[in-house]
Amino acid sequence: MNAAPVASAPGDPRLLGRDVRRIAFDADRIRARVGELGRTITEAYPDGDLLVLGLLKGSFVFLADLVREIRRPLHVDFLVAASYGDAMISSGNVRMVYDPETELEGKHILLVEDIVDSGRTLNTLVGLLKQRAPRSLEICTLLHKRIAGALAHPVRFVGFDAPHEFLVGYGLDHAENFRHLPYVASLKQVPTD
Ligand code: IMP
Ligand code: MG
């Protein structure tokens, strides 16, 4: 794949005056990969009820694009999980702040994440979701930093291996900013708050 064009990012009015260090994945590349993931996921579920379960907030852009590339019946629901403490370093204390109303028992659940970093969020959620007796549970993440230790559950569908930088855009935030960037980028000023 060609190097992402950085030229469009400086001066992007969405950036709060901050500069992009580089665009890690531009909109075209994301679109192409999400299309591939949609086809793979369509083929992976020949039968049964499919519930695409988005982990808010970070997955909202990715999920919206992904479900439009899945060519089979499905339902969509969301849950919110948040780590306590510092926004940059996810602590192990993951709390689920919303339980999906949808019945999970007997369904194929596809949990959609924005990024897997330490893996702690997923490890906790997988344990909680398995208690609901789904027919199957798979994880789809846009980005995977590949630094997580032992994951309680394999991540079956991965968009991209992510660089070990703090990334924003396409749903990913820093302090709730930058979610609406149509690309994934790292920032020049590494946020420390
Ligand atoms: P984990 O529990 O360490 O795997 O962290 C996963 C969560 O931390 C993600 O769902 C994101 O909300 C957040 N996160 C981890 N790395 C980044 C990043 O580079 N940019 C933005 N958010 C991140
Ligand atoms: Mg976040």
Side-chain angles (χ1 to χ4, degrees), residues 9-25:
D12 186 331
R14 293 168 288 212
L15 283 168
L16 275 180
R18 281 171 136 161
D19 288 329
V20 158
R21 181 192 308 279
R22 67 191 191 95
I23 293 179
F25 304 101

Side-chain angles (χ1 to χ4, degrees), residues 45-51 72-74 106-108 135:
Y45 294 97
D47 55 37
D49 294 334
L50 176 61
L51 175 64
R72 61 137 24 243
L74 58 78
K107 304 233 170 100
H108 291 299
R135 179 167 165 191

Side-chain angles (χ1 to χ4, degrees), residues 57-58 87 114-115 166 171-174 176 179:
K57 302 175 192 171
D114 54 353
I115 186 165
F166 193 81
L172 288 90
D173 75 306
H174 175 253
E176 297 301 328
R179 291 195 195 276

Side-chain angles (χ1 to χ4, degrees), residues 72-104:
R72 61 137 24 243
L74 58 78
H75 290 178
V76 173
D77 207 343
F78 294 95
L79 49 81
V80 183
S83 305
Y84 294 103
D86 193 294
M88 292 287 294
I89 304 155
S90 70
S91 73
N93 304 317
V94 178
R95 66 204 156 104
M96 207 187 310
V97 293
Y98 172 71
D99 252 3
E101 292 172 3
T102 317
E103 180 64 61
L104 304 184

